[in-house]
C-alpha cells in the first residue's frame, strides 16, 4: 500500500501547521477527530454532501504534558461528541447550533475532571456551548510509531466512541482534485488528514448514534496550547 505522503514535499502540502508563536507553557499532546462527511475531498463531493452529511463528529485530546488552571492533566484524555444542525465547517452556515456529550477520562480526580471540561470547552467553544451530558470512560489515544504523518491512529472512549485511521493512499484520490476542504474543528500545532476505518458513537444524550467507517473524514494531529492566564507573545 502506497501512502499519500511518501515524499516530504507531498507531506508538507497536506499538513496543516500552526506552530509559529505557540507558548512553551500550557498543555501539549495528540488529537484526533472524525466526521460523517469527507474532510479531504474535492468540491464536487463536498457540494454533494453539504446539509446532508457531516453534522456529527467525534474528537478528542490525549494530554501528554502540562496543567490547566494549575491542575496537572498529564496522561489524561477528554472526548467530545457533537451533533449539529448544519454540516460542520460549512462557511455558508457560520451559525450552527449543536448539542454535545463530553466524555472525561475515568482516571481523573474530581479536580482533574473539572479541568478537563474547562480545557475542552476553551478549545471548541462554539461546539461545546450546549453540553447535554458529561460522561466518564477510560480514554486512550495511540499513534502508530508516534508519527502523525503515517496517519495510523486510534482513539477510544470506553465502549462509547471510537475513531481509527490509516494514512491516505493513491487509491483515495477519486476525482484527482482532493484537498483539505474542511479544516480541523480546533486549532492544532500540526494536523494530517487521514482515512477513517472506524468512526462511531454508541452512547445516549444526542438522540442519535452512528457508525460511519471507510471515509476520508479524519484528522490526526498534535496540539500545544497556553494555560489560562499565561503570557503570549
Amino acid at each position: 500500500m502506497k501512502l499519500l505522503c511518501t515524499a516530504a514535499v507531498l507531506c508538507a502540502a497536506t499538513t496543516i501547521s500552526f506552530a509559529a508563536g505557540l507558548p512553551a507553557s500550557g498543555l501539549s499532546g495528540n488529537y484526533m477527530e472524525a466526521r460523517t462527511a469527507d474532510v479531504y475531498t474535492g468540491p464536487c463531493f463536498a457540494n454533494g454532501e453539504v446539509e446532508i452529511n457531516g453534522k456529527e463528529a467525534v474528537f478528542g485530546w490525549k494530554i501528554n504534558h502540562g496543567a490547566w488552571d494549575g491542575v496537572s492533566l498529564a496522561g489524561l484524555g477528554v472526548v467530545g461528541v457533537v451533533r449539529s444542525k448544519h454540516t460542520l465547517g460549512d462557511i455558508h452556515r457560520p451559525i450552527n447550533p449543536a448539542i454535545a456529550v463530553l466524555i472525561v477520562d475515568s482516571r481523573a480526580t474530581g479536580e482533574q475532571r473539572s479541568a478537563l471540561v474547562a480545557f475542552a470547552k476553551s478549545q471548541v467553544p462554539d461546539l461545546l456551548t450546549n453540553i447535554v451530558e458529561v460522561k466518564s470512560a477510560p480514554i486512550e489515544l495511540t499513534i502508530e510509531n508516534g508519527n502523525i504523518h503515517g496517519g495510523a491512529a486510534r482513539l477510544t472512549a470506553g465502549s462509547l466512541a471510537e475513531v481509527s485511521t490509516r494514512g491516505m493512499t493513491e487509491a483515495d484520490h477519486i476525482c484527482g482534485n482532493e484537498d483539505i476542504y474542511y479544516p480541523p474543528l480546533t486549532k492544532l500545532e500540526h494536523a494530517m488528514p487521514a482515512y477513517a476505518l472506524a468512526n462511531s458513537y454508541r452512547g445516549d444524550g444526542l438522540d442519535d448514534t452512528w457508525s460511519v467507517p471507510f471515509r476520508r473524514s479524519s484528522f490526526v494531529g498534535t496540539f500545544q496550547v497556553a494555560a489560562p492566564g499565561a503570557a503570549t507573545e
Side-chain angles (χ1 to χ4, degrees):
M1 180 179 292
K2 186 177 181 182
L3 291 178
L4 180 64
C5 287
T6 53
V9 64
L10 189 54
C11 283
T14 55
T15 304
I16 304 174
S17 178
F18 303 103
L22 286 172
S25 62
L27 300 180
S28 62
N30 297 115
Y31 172 87
M32 287 184 72
E33 75 174 59
R35 308 189 207 177
T36 53
D38 286 357
V39 297
Y40 182 81
T41 188
C44 52
F45 282 87
N47 291 336
E49 288 196 307
V50 70
E51 285 300 297
I52 299 173
N53 299 323
K55 301 176 183 180
E56 300 84 17
V58 177
F59 50 91
W61 302 260
K62 183 64 178 289
I63 298 155
N64 296 331
H65 306 285
W68 193 260
D69 271 337
V71 180
S72 175
L73 298 180
L76 300 176
V78 58
V79 170
V81 187
V82 300
R83 182 169 65 84
S84 61
K85 183 177 180 180
H86 308 292
T87 297
L88 294 163
D90 181 6
I91 61 173
H92 301 293
R93 300 283 189 174
I95 299 175
N96 189 6
I99 57 175
V101 168
L102 202 59
I103 309 169
V104 296
D105 205 313
S106 57
R107 293 163 290 198
T109 65
E111 188 178 37
Q112 289 173 323
R113 179 185 173 100
S114 297
L116 286 168
V117 171
F119 163 70
K121 292 175 72 173
S122 75
Q123 299 306 294
V124 281
D126 292 342
L127 292 181
L128 296 181
T129 296
N130 186 12
I131 298 174
V132 297
E133 191 171 353
V134 178
K135 299 176 180 288
S136 178
I139 294 174
E140 299 293 343
L141 196 166
T142 56
I143 296 178
E144 189 173 302
N145 300 321
N147 177 21
I148 67 168
H149 294 91
R154 186 168 185 249
L155 169 68
T156 58
S159 61
L160 295 172
E162 178 185 6
V163 175
S164 178
T165 61
R166 64 159 170 78
M168 297 288 187
T169 71
E170 289 183 348
D172 300 319
H173 282 284
I174 300 173
C175 67
N177 194 30
E178 285 83 4
D179 202 347
I180 297 172
Y181 193 89
Y182 295 115
L185 295 171
T186 185
K187 187 175 180 179
L188 299 171
E189 183 182 25
H190 298 290
M192 285 293 299
Y195 187 90
L197 300 172
N199 169 20
S200 65
Y201 176 64
R202 307 178 187 91
D204 52 18
L206 299 180
D207 297 323
D208 192 14
T209 61
W210 60 87
S211 177
V212 187
F214 312 127
R215 299 203 61 143
R216 303 169 297 177
S217 58
S218 292
F219 285 105
V220 179
T222 60
F223 70 91
Q224 182 179 342
V225 299
T232 57
E233 296 181 1

